[in-house]
Amino acid sequence: MTTTVRDAATTLVGVPVRAQTYRNLVYLALAFPLGLAYFVGLTAGLSLGVGLAITWFGIPILLATLAGATLLARFEAELSNRLLGTDVRTHSLDASGGVLAATKRLVTDARTWLDAAYLVVKFGLGIVSFAALATLGSLAGSLLAAPLTYSSNFYVGLRVGTLTVGPFESGQLVVDTFGEAVGVALLGVVVAVASLHVLNALARLSGTITEALLDIGPSDATEEFADGD
């Protein structure tokens, strides 16, 4: 029981010193710019392709967009594997059998459309990741910086109604001594540790979604490897 409690305590408070925590933070920080780029590119490609399909110029654009979605999904799987420690196996573009056969496989393969759907989902995950990083980071940072900002004349921090967090000049919460500021900073340590646990959970959720949408499974991976031989 003692060992279990000790292990649980280590897991709870040891999150700031684990390398995986910072790999998760890098992944979450990249999620929004990458997700935005994917969404814009996918939307522009599909819209332009459908709009020009009647002139036949749109067909190559649509095919290029779908092929690009597959390549970007493979990149995302590799990013997840490297930063989050997942084991996502993705399919590759098969250009064998000529242009018509490869085009048919690209359009009719359900995994192509799952790749495109994942890029849209990635945009949503990116928004959530950005909001979580910005909100939790600013809150923890304001609390931790209390010893440096409590006597400042500048407002730095989060205001919720009449409650001000840093530099603590509110009717309900006034921190105007160094000792009080140190106490707030200690509270900031607790908030920071809790925030890292929340962000780690968000990163794990992102990895789970990536596996669910992109992983082709061991049997499919073996079959695809055999076909490649």
Side-chain angles (χ1 to χ4, degrees):
M1 176 64 70
T2 303
T3 302
T4 302
V5 172
R6 183 183 300 123
D7 290 344
T10 301
T11 300
L12 181 64
V13 302
V15 62
V17 298
R18 287 198 290 271
Q20 184 58 52
T21 295
Y22 299 96
R23 287 193 290 268
N24 290 346
L25 292 177
V26 171
Y27 183 87
L28 293 177
L30 292 173
F32 179 68
L34 288 176
L36 179 61
Y38 300 155
F39 182 78
V40 171
L42 188 65
T43 302
L46 292 177
S47 299
L48 187 60
V50 170
L52 296 177
I54 193 172
T55 66
W56 292 98
F57 289 107
I59 303 300
I61 296 176
L62 286 172
L63 295 177
T65 301
L66 292 177
T70 294
L71 294 176
L72 290 174
R74 292 189 68 186
F75 167 76
E76 273 294 320
E78 183 63 23
L79 188 67
S80 177
N81 291 341
R82 288 182 178 273
L83 293 180
L84 302 183
T86 56
D87 184 21
V88 182
R89 294 146 296 194
T90 59
H91 69 107
S92 57
L93 293 174
D94 185 0
S96 62
V99 175
L100 291 179
T103 299
K104 181 180 179 180
R105 281 192 299 271
L106 177 67
V107 175
T108 59
D109 191 343
R111 287 183 297 227
T112 299
W113 300 98
L114 277 177
D115 291 342
Y118 173 80
L119 298 183
V120 176
V121 171
K122 179 72 176 185
F123 177 53
L125 290 173
I127 294 175
V128 174
S129 299
F130 176 79
L133 284 170
T135 301
L136 297 177
S138 63
L139 176 59
S142 295
L143 293 171
L144 290 170
L148 301 176
T149 63
Y150 75 97
S151 61
S152 171
N153 293 323
F154 298 98
Y155 173 74
V156 180
L158 178 68
R159 181 184 295 276
V160 180
T162 59
L163 177 66
T164 303
V165 180
F168 314 105
E169 298 172 356
S170 172
Q172 290 190 12
L173 178 60
V174 179
V175 178
D176 53 8
T177 67
F178 181 73
E180 292 173 341
V182 170
V184 172
L186 293 177
L187 174 62
V189 173
V190 176
V191 172
V193 171
S195 298
L196 289 178
H197 279 288
V198 172
L199 294 172
N200 278 342
L202 180 58
R204 287 193 296 269
L205 175 62
S206 298
T208 299
I209 293 174
T210 300
E211 288 180 322
L213 292 180
L214 298 185
D215 191 8
I216 63 176
S219 59
D220 291 337
T222 303
E223 181 181 348
E224 185 166 317
F225 178 77
D227 292 340
D229 289 346

